[in-house]
Amino acid sequence: MTAELVRGQNHPLPQSRLEIRVSAGTPMVAAATLGDEQGRIHGVDWVAHPGTPTLPGLEVSRQAAADHRLAVDLDAMPEAVHRVSVLLALPTGAGGPTRFGAVPAPFVAVTGLDGTGIASFTVAGLDTESAVIALELYRRQGAWKVRAIGQGYAGGLADLFTDQGLAEARQLAGGIHEAVAQGLARSVPAPSSRPDGDRSRQPAAPALGPDQGGPASTSSGSGPVPTSPYGTQTPGIPGQPAPQSPYQGGDAQPAAPTSGGGIDYSHPRRQTSAPPPPPPTAPPAEPGRPAQPVAGDATGWSMDERLYNQVWGMFEDLARTTAAYRSAVDFAESRMEKELDQVLSDPRSRIGGQGDAAREAAQARHTELVDQAQAALDRDVAQLTAESEVVEPALPPAFARWDNPVWHGYRVPMEIPMALRLGDLHLPECADLRIPMLIRLPLERGLWIDSGRGASLDGSFTDTHDMRRLAMETAVAHAARLLAVYPAGEFTVHVIDPAGSGAQALDPLVRTGVLAGPPATGAAGVTDVLARLTQRVDLVQMALRGGAPDSLPPGFDTSQQLLIVNDFPHGFDDRAVNQLRYLADEGPAVGVHLMMVADREDASAYGPLLDPLWRALLRLTPLPDDHLADPWVGHAWTYEPPVVPPGSQVLQQVLTKVAEARAKHW
């Protein structure tokens, strides 16, 4: 039975290993401080935050998110620690809400590792505050308890840390927000919440031994019930099925445990606000085996939408099952270390047969736990691989790789698709399973093709000239795909190539005539293109703010605009740099998008002036690189750019059809 706390109420904690789960309607920063008996922080090394997420007995999320899971091991806390305060704060400079009164009240739950609810607290009643101490775990007479706090601070984390006696409060607060901003910049943007999608799971076999928790149970509190971007119920929230242990493969529905398990593609509990077109029917499954996956087996009003939701479901499933595996391995190792420390701490068991037997037993338990975790991961990955094998061939051109046969029958579309594939993502635990990286259209932020890193993940090195060439070829492939998925005349591409160094890579775009004009060269060309696009942003903004979008000049091109900038900052003066920053910040909202092909080191002379520019762009690479993070767990995913097969003419054929359609349109 979960205790529903009100501000100031406390509740005993029956166990030392806990999870603190935070659910909110908007991305928040989760942190925690360690305090002495008076609640004072002794230094910055007593604060766990996205920049320093791990302390003894404590781990917090590495980025801002709407949902968090904080791991706590009270037995591992230093003797000087008597309080653990859980903090929430709204990110600064992210364009989001700046006060808690403008967002749904955060819901915080304390659970066991098996998801069993212990206590919950809804942090309500806040207004101008931007940081809050949600609750605290405190030690009294050798026993730990949890107390609901709900103390907010209008001055944000700086005031909160100052109140807890930290001398470096403002510096630490600034460092936390900088770490969060960097995390947001590298995170794959999740789609907006969708109430009509769903992906259901069956319980998976536990990855821990029987002494580490049983099947999931349902808590009985009340609180907000968030959903994932495609409708999956968020585990661990009262009124929803509680999840399995974080060391189990996948999320569990409240059903009796079954052997095997994995993803249930029959969707027995799917509900929608209105019935979409019926999804495809999977072949009947053999008794005791999960149903065979089919393409489009997710909720949506069209096949494209169902495929989009299905791909994002696969993305989240793989992120969470990998997190469960990694947590299981970490737990197995920490448990073995603790058992070995106990053996070594007893002089009687350090030597001789008794010590050897204890060490062998600890190693055996470690191996057993890791093997169980690996089996759970292998089962879930096998299910996702089977799903990927049927989904990939069914993807439409906007979602498909360049080697997909769908491109051979390409026709210029009549409607704008809901998303675009920018490449593939995978994790080291399952490198053969690629997840399509689908980003919603129109683009909400610009793209930065990084031409500056020559070392690849396999240890090989690419020289500067080849990196710049590969980066420009990658930009052309992205631009060609954008041109191909928009209807004729609804997407226009401009190019700035001050020194003409990208001429060879740009040849497919120039030769087919799909560009708005020849690539701009020299300082004069840079000035001309930036002035025209800046003026366009100003005109559209004025029309929209004046409530008269139809008042634009006659013949005004209303299509989406993409500006490809090569070899930045060559040919750019200070005014041009400011115009570029303006386009990156204000352009996407009015249909002007930026694609930078640049090495950040080349612009190092500008110092921190350009930090907001790089942060505003989604960084992609011409070679595989593990720099992107998922929006749920924060794994480092290896990104692979879209590559046109060697010798293939598909890019040329697609651009030719785009050019023919544009000529007919105009």
Side-chain angles (χ1 to χ4, degrees):
M1 195 74 178
T2 303
E4 301 177 36
L5 305 181
V6 297
R7 187 175 278 108
Q9 186 178 1
N10 60 36
H11 186 76
L13 294 173
Q15 58 199 80
S16 60
R17 292 181 60 83
L18 307 166
E19 274 197 347
I20 299 175
R21 304 179 181 184
V22 179
S23 297
T26 189
M28 294 184 181
V29 182
T33 61
L34 306 181
D36 58 19
E37 289 184 283
Q38 287 73 42
R40 303 187 70 79
I41 307 173
H42 287 196
V44 295
D45 54 346
W46 278 40
V47 183
H49 57 82
T52 307
T54 304
L55 295 178
L58 181 62
E59 184 173 2
V60 303
S61 303
R62 298 175 183 269
Q63 62 189 41
D67 300 294
H68 294 273
R69 290 191 181 188
L70 284 66
V72 179
D73 185 352
L74 297 175
D75 288 342
M77 291 291 169
E79 287 296 324
V81 173
H82 289 262
R83 294 190 193 181
V84 180
S85 300
V86 177
L87 322 177
L88 301 176
L90 296 171
T92 62
T98 58
R99 60 187 187 91
F100 276 105
V103 301
F107 177 80
V108 186
V110 181
T111 74
L113 293 184
D114 59 356
T116 303
I118 298 173
S120 65
F121 174 48
T122 301
V123 190
L126 300 178
D127 186 12
T128 61
E129 298 88 345
S130 59
V132 62
I133 302 176
L135 52 80
E136 70 176 8
L137 314 180
Y138 65 98
R139 178 159 42 189
R140 182 71 54 81
Q141 297 178 348
W144 285 90
K145 296 183 179 182
V146 56
R147 177 186 291 122
I149 302 296
Q151 174 65 52
Y153 294 83
L157 287 174
D159 283 5
L160 188 155
F161 291 142
T162 299
D163 192 41
Q164 291 193 331
L166 183 63
E168 307 92 337
R170 298 204 174 276
Q171 297 92 318
L172 178 59
I176 291 175
H177 288 302
E178 176 64 22
V180 170
Q182 293 178 0
L184 290 174
R186 61 186 287 268
S187 178
V188 179
S192 56
S193 298
R194 304 190 56 82
D196 56 346
D198 190 14
R199 284 171 65 88
S200 302
R201 284 178 177 267
Q202 291 177 337
L208 285 182
D211 62 327
Q212 294 303 324
S217 60
T218 304
S219 60
S220 57
S222 61
V225 183
T227 59
S228 82
Y230 49 86
T232 302
Q233 294 171 342
T234 301
I237 307 303
Q240 295 279 18
Q244 294 171 294
S245 161
Y247 312 112
Q248 294 173 330
D251 305 330
Q253 298 292 346
T258 60
S259 61
I263 302 171
D264 178 9
Y265 295 94
S266 62
H267 298 282
R269 301 179 65 252
R270 176 185 289 147
Q271 296 179 354
T272 58
S273 55
T281 303
E286 297 179 13
R289 300 186 64 181
Q292 293 300 310
V294 295
D297 196 8
T299 304
W301 290 97
S302 66
M303 186 60 172
D304 286 4
E305 185 177 4
R306 293 201 297 267
L307 287 167
Y308 172 81
N309 288 336
Q310 188 173 13
V311 167
W312 267 89
M314 294 163 57
F315 189 13
E316 181 171 356
D317 284 341
L318 184 56
R320 294 196 184 281
T321 196
T322 304
Y325 168 77
R326 292 179 180 179
S327 294
V329 172
D330 288 345
F331 172 76
E333 291 178 352
S334 64
R335 171 174 166 170
M336 182 178 68
E337 290 175 1
K338 187 173 182 178
E339 291 176 347
L340 292 177
D341 287 343
Q342 291 175 348
V343 171
L344 295 175
S345 65
D346 187 352
R348 294 170 298 179
S349 60
R350 289 179 186 171
I351 58 176
Q354 183 179 356
D356 293 340
R359 281 187 284 270
E360 290 176 1
Q363 181 63 53
R365 282 190 290 270
H366 170 271
T367 302
E368 179 185 5
L369 295 179
V370 172
D371 288 346
Q372 291 179 10
Q374 185 67 57
L377 175 67
D378 291 345
R379 182 191 59 249
D380 283 350
V381 169
Q383 290 288 340
L384 288 169
T385 300
E387 186 173 13
S388 176
E389 289 173 351
V390 297
V391 167
E392 191 69 52
L395 296 176
F399 300 177
R401 291 195 299 250
W402 283 115
D403 60 358
N404 192 312
V406 71
W407 285 106
H408 296 296
Y410 167 77
R411 294 181 179 180
V412 177
M414 301 297 292
E415 296 181 349
I416 301 173
M418 66 183 303
L420 180 80
R421 185 173 189 157
L422 292 181
D424 292 340
L425 299 168
H426 68 85
L427 291 170
E429 286 84 356
C430 43
D432 293 335
L433 177 56
R434 262 60 173 178
I435 302 295
M437 180 178 169
L438 302 183
I439 303 298
R440 290 296 293 263
L441 291 178
L443 296 173
E444 296 180 355
R445 59 193 291 199
L447 304 177
W448 166 28
I449 316 299
D450 189 354
S451 62
R453 296 183 62 181
S456 62
L457 293 177
D458 61 4
S460 61
F461 184 82
T462 306
D463 65 34
T464 301
H465 176 75
D466 286 342
M467 277 298 294
R468 294 181 188 275
R469 175 183 55 80
L470 290 171
M472 200 62 201
E473 290 175 353
T474 302
V476 169
H478 285 307
R481 183 178 288 264
L482 282 163
L483 283 163
V485 303
Y486 271 82
E490 294 197 22
F491 197 84
T492 304
V493 178
H494 310 264
V495 176
I496 290 178
D497 187 19
S501 60
Q504 182 178 354
L506 289 167
D507 182 66
L509 299 179
V510 175
R511 182 154 33 94
T512 53
V514 295
L515 296 178
T521 58
V526 172
T527 301
D528 178 61
V529 173
L530 290 178
R532 285 189 283 113
L533 290 177
T534 301
Q535 183 183 36
R536 176 191 176 86
V537 172
D538 291 339
L539 286 173
V540 177
Q541 283 186 337
M542 286 189 292
L544 293 176
R545 290 170 181 169
D550 297 332
S551 64
L552 293 169
F556 187 85
D557 182 9
T558 58
S559 66
Q560 297 279 310
Q561 309 284 311
L562 175 68
L563 172 60
I564 302 176
V565 178
N566 184 38
D567 207 16
F568 176 81
H570 182 82
F572 282 75
D573 56 19
D574 290 345
R575 176 180 174 81
V577 169
N578 287 331
Q579 288 176 318
L580 200 64
R581 288 185 54 187
Y582 177 70
L583 292 178
D585 292 339
E586 304 294 335
V590 293
V592 178
H593 311 284
L594 187 61
M595 184 186 294
M596 298 276 291
V597 183
D599 178 358
R600 187 169 182 172
E601 289 300 316
D602 290 345
S604 59
Y606 288 94
L609 176 67
L610 289 183
D611 285 352
L613 172 64
W614 306 118
R615 195 174 296 151
L617 305 175
L618 176 61
R619 177 175 171 258
L620 304 176
T621 54
L623 294 175
D625 190 80
D626 58 351
H627 66 283
L628 290 176
D630 64 81
W632 305 285
V633 185
H635 293 315
W637 291 72
T638 296
Y639 166 78
E640 292 187 357
V643 177
V644 178
S648 173
Q649 297 298 312
V650 62
L651 190 68
Q652 186 71 29
Q653 293 168 1
V654 168
L655 289 175
T656 299
K657 291 185 178 182
V658 170
E660 292 172 352
R662 284 170 58 89
K664 294 177 181 178
H665 174 78
W666 296 115

